[in-house]
Amino acid sequence: MKNFVVKTIANAGALAVAVWLLDKITLTGDSTAKKAGTLIIVALIFGVVNWLVKPIVKVLTFPLFILTLGLITLVVNALMLLLTSWVCGKFDLGFHVEGFWTAVLGGLIVSIVSWALHVVLPDED
């Protein structure tokens, strides 16, 4: 359970950095507390999307992983971020990613920041 909480916090922090750095990734809310709550919910949705959908996409695009020497991972991460944005739109959450190239850059930022936070934060069960 502790591992799940740590990963969710790391995802929320990584998403917050992407929102902060990129103008076309938006997080809306009336107050800072509401934005923080929305960010935690978005991080949960992002985690579920990565847990459910990403392995399937990786299996289906395995030949492209070999052909591009893994660079297709950037596209897969962008698609996961766009899917998270779409799901958040369906739940009327204030998180939106505008455009594919913004999602590619946002996915790269989220991956790097999430990796750095996983190195710093404890990873125990």
Side-chain angles (χ1 to χ4, degrees):
M1 181 66 177
K2 192 175 186 182
N3 192 18
F4 173 74
V5 172
V6 168
K7 286 185 179 190
T8 301
I9 291 170
N11 277 339
L15 288 165
V17 171
V19 167
W20 179 59
L21 289 175
L22 300 175
D23 292 334
K24 292 186 178 183
I25 298 179
T26 57
L27 179 70
T28 56
D30 298 337
S31 65
T32 304
K34 187 163 179 127
K35 285 182 182 180
T38 301
L39 199 58
I40 295 293
I41 294 170
V42 171
L44 287 170
I45 292 171
F46 187 65
V48 169
V49 165
N50 279 326
W51 181 67
L52 285 175
V53 180
K54 193 172 186 176
I56 297 167
V57 172
K58 278 186 161 183
V59 167
L60 293 175
T61 59
F62 183 71
L64 291 175
F65 274 93
I66 294 171
L67 187 64
T68 64
L69 302 174
L71 288 177
I72 195 71
T73 304
L74 293 172
V75 174
V76 171
N77 288 342
L79 293 175
M80 297 304 108
L81 197 58
L82 284 172
L83 182 59
T84 300
S85 174
W86 179 78
V87 170
C88 288
K90 293 297 178 185
F91 286 116
D92 201 28
L93 294 170
F95 179 77
H96 181 68
V97 178
E98 184 180 327
F100 175 75
W101 292 109
T102 302
V104 170
L105 192 55
L108 183 62
I109 291 169
V110 167
S111 295
I112 291 170
V113 173
S114 181
W115 170 80
L117 288 174
H118 283 293
V119 168
V120 174
L121 293 172
D123 194 21
E124 304 170 357
D125 269 338

